[in-house]
Amino acid sequence: DDEPIALPMLWYEREDTQRLWTYYEKRDLVENKEKAALKRFEDPELAPRIEAMAKKVAQEFVPFDYGRIEFRLDLKTGDINFIEINLNCNLWSEKVMAKAAAHAGFSHADLLETLLAESWRRNGLVAQ
């Protein structure tokens, strides 16, 4: 209904947070030897703060079909720093967006169908 809905928040828990990932490593196009895991982020104090910030930013882009809002978080200090907004980000692989959707109970196909149906509804191409 023309309001942004947040998927569960995920984060990469990484062995070396100072090392930059290459384009190829981020997309699993080459072997990534660094220990990193994509996990659900549910910190009871920090997650609500990040979600509130993301929701505020997302409101500025309504209407949009989907996107990913990225932050860098310092777990020691609690500092949250905005990195980027990636509207209509990559959905071709079952990476971050598909994994977040899975945490919400959607398959990758369900996610794609839902995004298309909502976009078509919003643009008057299908009935409610």
Side-chain angles (χ1 to χ4, degrees), residues 54-120:
K55 187 173 185 176
K56 197 172 192 179
V57 169
Q59 287 296 104
E60 297 299 320
F61 292 95
V62 171
F64 64 98
D65 293 322
Y66 62 94
R68 189 177 64 241
I69 300 172
E70 298 184 12
F71 294 85
R72 186 164 292 255
L73 169 64
D74 185 326
L75 290 172
K76 292 177 187 165
T77 65
D79 288 342
I80 302 165
N81 292 291
F82 171 78
I83 296 176
E84 73 172 326
I85 294 176
N86 193 337
L87 296 179
N88 298 338
C89 58
N90 193 336
L91 292 176
W92 65 269
S93 68
E94 294 188 27
K95 292 287 285 183
V96 176
M97 294 296 287
K99 288 179 180 175
H103 282 280
F106 289 90
S107 70
H108 190 212
D110 292 336
L111 173 65
L112 296 174
E113 183 179 337
T114 301
L115 292 171
L116 285 171
E118 179 62 15
S119 177
W120 292 344

